[in-house]
Amino acid sequence: MKQGSDLIQLQVIWSRLIAAVEEQARSLIRAGFSTSTREAGDVSAGVFNTRGEMIAQAVTGTPGHINSMARSVKHFIDVFPVASMEEGDVYITNDPWKATGHLSDLSVVTPIFRNGQFVALFACTTHVVDVGGNGPSPESRDVYGEGLFIPIMKIAEKGRMNESLLQIVRANVKEPVQVEGDIFALVACNDVGGKRLLTIMDEYGLTEIDTVGDEIFARSRKAMMDEIAKLPRGTWHNRMVLDGYEAPISLCAAVTVDETGVHIDMEGTSEASRYGINCPMCYTEAYASFGVKCLVAPQLPNNAATMACITVTAPDDCIANAKFPRPVVARSTIGMFLPDLVFGCFEQAIEGKVPAESTGTLWNIRLGAQPAGDTRGFMVTTFHSGGAGARPAQDGLSATPFPSGIRNVPVEVTESITSLVVWRKEFRPDSGGAGRQRGGLGQIMEIGNREDAPLTLYARYERVENPAKGRQGGQPGAPGRLTLGSGGKLKAKGLQTIPPGDTVIIEMPGGGGYGAPEERDPEALALDLRKGFVTAEAAKA
């Protein structure tokens, strides 16, 4: 074990590594073209040792990207062994089973060399606006209909971009400028991270970083296991019912805590769907393990060592372990509910720490329009959310995504790059579940087209039939709802048309409440009434 000045230097190097990957992520956001990258921050970034193990990750990003990307780099090394890597090489894929779960995410890996010696890998991921096929619609019956599938391959070789691959991408996507721009941003941000690493190595006289990484891993694993040791030993079960597509879905989990770590078994979970709401195992592992980390050790770094203390298993080809070539474009429909599923197990084991259920998967607004006359067509994803679940000592956060943590896209940005107009965006009264602590409110948005042309809505929403549950006597949040401004009801999932001159009204669900409603502080309830979060009728009920 290192001591004295060595420990101080290790801490300084660790802090510098975090700064390097954070700059890597920020560079991706600044250089990105699509709103998902530059506005929402739907990205991840990290540095890896020569074995493909993640040493450090950027704080910027989503758990689904970060935790699945953390496991993906070894797949790149399987295809391109270390001995074959050369300076200037850059690798890319959107393989849902070897990267981050669906074709819309592009993952890029770059080997870093110092004085001709391979010393590290940098990896990053972003969600691009379109990859062709049926786009974000979950109606495809297999992954082939969901867009362009890029196996692990070189996007650059010895510093020269793969123009043939870029031509294929441009020919297959509806927004070629945005997608190609994001690819270049991915390549560039890894380059930024690599340069910062080399600066660190020069300053501290390091010839390699695997030794530093191994010391970080040893300390991280010990700290994680120390936190797990504070938990009671045993196994706890939970079941969650989701709306699903063709039928309701059951997500099941048994969480076991023992001397080897935390183990999640999803036996009993529903079989795979015919539609694209299936979730590959890499994304299931990412969000299930995040749920554990939130409760057990939120302050510890997220790296290969801490993640290794948590295992996740699921039956083959269930909806949480979908196999190729299942359609998976809307895998977040399942994955983003897994922290709440895990929370329901831990609620039985630890008191006063587990929040009520949140709205889970994002209520992103995916709209498109075909070019007509002088009007340019577009495809846009704008990120929005319902409410988070109430916490044991605080109200839930309104219109705030959990577990994704992604930022909402400003209305002004969406309107400036498309012909869309957002007529309304406001909190949805009475949507947060009642309780001693109130659930976070959902929001209402009404959107139309400034052009006299129809809009295509790519719907993939949850919590319409099965709202977020409360805990410890708290009430459920309000379910979500989709309607036309003219009054017609829309389906929660599937491709639908908004007629010219009409609007879509999206009422997002609220988070569950915590504790008995009659225990709520009268001053807090009075404030809710004054702000319009709760109506007088609901308060009386």
Side-chain angles (χ1 to χ4, degrees):
M1 184 69 68
K2 294 180 180 292
Q3 296 182 355
S5 61
D6 286 344
L7 287 179
I8 295 173
Q9 180 169 299
L10 178 66
Q11 182 61 48
V12 172
I13 292 172
W14 166 250
S15 297
R16 294 286 300 278
L17 287 173
I18 293 295
V21 293
E22 191 62 29
E23 184 175 355
Q24 176 195 5
R26 293 293 175 181
S27 298
L28 173 55
I29 291 170
R30 287 195 298 269
F33 276 54
S34 64
T35 54
S36 53
T37 303
R38 60 184 170 85
E39 300 294 341
D42 194 7
V43 303
S44 64
V47 59
F48 296 70
N49 65 15
T50 58
R51 301 186 297 272
E53 299 165 332
M54 189 173 74
I55 300 173
Q57 59 141 99
V59 175
T60 302
T62 69
H65 277 170
I66 291 165
N67 289 353
S68 53
M69 182 192 73
R71 293 176 168 88
S72 72
V73 173
K74 289 187 177 182
H75 291 300
F76 284 82
I77 293 177
D78 288 342
V79 176
F80 293 99
V82 168
S84 70
M85 295 179 179
E86 298 185 81
E87 289 193 60
D89 287 352
V90 185
Y91 315 107
I92 190 172
T93 193
N94 65 347
D95 185 329
W97 289 269
K98 294 181 179 178
T100 59
H102 68 175
L103 297 177
S104 299
D105 292 342
L106 297 182
S107 295
V108 169
V109 174
T110 304
I112 305 300
F113 293 80
R114 182 176 183 270
N115 298 327
Q117 178 185 353
F118 170 58
V119 294
L121 294 146
F122 275 81
C124 57
T125 299
T126 195
H127 180 113
V128 296
V129 66
D130 180 60
V131 289
N134 284 329
S137 172
E139 293 178 307
S140 294
R141 300 302 179 93
D142 55 46
V143 74
Y144 302 115
E146 294 182 333
L148 179 64
F149 192 123
I150 304 172
I152 295 174
M153 61 188 303
K154 291 181 181 179
I155 186 61
E157 184 170 12
K158 296 181 181 180
R160 289 181 60 88
M161 293 294 286
N162 184 343
E163 180 57 31
S164 296
L165 176 57
L166 291 174
Q167 286 180 342
I168 292 171
V169 170
R170 289 193 293 265
N172 279 274
V173 303
K174 301 175 182 69
E175 295 279 2
V177 173
Q178 292 191 56
V179 175
E180 185 175 16
D182 280 347
I183 291 174
F184 276 91
L186 288 162
V187 173
C189 86
N190 279 358
D191 189 50
V192 168
K195 288 177 180 177
R196 296 299 172 266
L197 174 64
L198 295 179
T199 298
I200 296 168
M201 295 178 72
D202 289 343
E203 288 184 16
Y204 293 96
L206 302 175
T207 58
E208 44 84 25
I209 66 164
D210 282 8
T211 302
V212 169
D214 289 345
E215 185 68 25
I216 292 169
F217 289 157
R219 291 173 173 276
S220 298
R221 176 175 173 77
K222 182 181 184 305
M224 185 69 177
M225 291 305 298
D226 286 348
E227 293 299 318
I228 292 173
K230 298 175 184 177
L231 299 171
R233 298 289 188 262
T235 299
W236 301 273
H237 299 263
N238 187 34
R239 176 175 176 267
M240 177 183 288
V241 177
L242 304 180
D243 303 348
Y245 202 122
E246 66 269 50
I249 294 166
S250 291
L251 297 181
C252 300
V255 171
T256 298
V257 178
D258 60 26
E259 67 282 356
T260 65
V262 177
H263 311 288
I264 304 167
D265 181 3
M266 296 188 65
E267 185 68 38
T269 293
S270 294
E271 63 184 16
S273 171
R274 298 196 307 272
Y275 300 96
I277 59 173
N278 300 295
C279 189
M281 194 64 193
C282 59
Y283 201 75
T284 291
E285 289 177 329
Y287 269 114
S289 61
F290 177 69
V292 175
K293 191 76 165 36
C294 285
L295 292 178
V296 176
Q299 77 284 1
L300 293 182
N302 199 50
N303 57 36
T306 52
M307 291 174 64
C309 299
I310 306 165
T311 66
V312 185
T313 58
D316 279 349
D317 212 30
C318 74
I319 200 163
N321 185 15
K323 300 299 184 181
F324 178 87
R326 291 283 189 185
V328 292
V329 65
R331 89 293 196 221
S332 61
T333 302
I334 301 301
M336 289 185 184
F337 285 104
L338 297 179
D340 274 334
L341 180 68
V342 170
F343 284 2
C345 295
F346 275 108
E347 182 191 23
Q348 305 161 50
I350 52 180
E351 294 183 4
K353 289 185 65 176
V354 181
E357 289 184 358
S358 296
T359 53
T361 190
L362 292 162
W363 272 59
N364 294 342
I365 299 166
R366 299 171 173 89
L367 289 165
Q370 296 295 325
D374 296 331
T375 304
R376 185 181 72 87
F378 64 85
M379 169 78 74
V380 70
T381 296
T382 178
F383 291 72
H384 300 280
S385 176
R391 294 159 287 181
Q394 293 177 284
D395 290 344
L397 298 171
S398 297
T400 300
F402 177 84
S404 80
I406 206 165
R407 296 194 301 269
N408 284 358
V409 175
V411 165
E412 295 82 359
V413 171
T414 302
E415 292 181 334
S416 69
I417 62 173
T418 69
S419 58
L420 296 177
V421 57
V422 180
W423 293 108
R424 186 162 42 135
K425 179 178 169 66
E426 59 193 32
F427 283 136
R428 184 184 177 194
D430 298 332
S431 57
R436 185 177 71 240
Q437 278 70 48
R438 173 183 44 75
L441 302 180
Q443 56 182 311
I444 301 174
M445 294 183 67
E446 183 171 4
I447 304 174
N449 194 355
R450 294 193 300 270
E451 302 290 343
D452 186 26
L455 293 171
T456 300
L457 173 67
Y458 300 87
R460 38 198 269 194
Y461 301 117
E462 269 288 337
R463 297 290 197 200
V464 173
E465 302 295 335
N466 294 276
K469 292 181 180 179
R471 298 202 195 277
Q472 301 298 319
Q475 298 299 302
R481 184 169 57 181
L482 284 90
T483 56
L484 292 171
S486 57
K489 186 177 179 180
L490 294 172
K491 296 182 298 181
K493 295 181 179 69
L495 200 67
Q496 293 160 93
T497 298
I498 312 302
D502 210 340
T503 60
V504 56
I505 300 175
I506 301 168
E507 299 178 70
M508 302 181 199
Y514 190 99
E518 58 268 22
E519 296 177 2
R520 185 158 180 79
D521 184 342
E523 291 187 6
L525 181 57
L527 182 62
D528 283 343
L529 288 166
R530 287 199 303 272
K531 290 189 172 183
F533 296 164
V534 175
T535 62
E537 293 78 8
K540 291 176 183 177

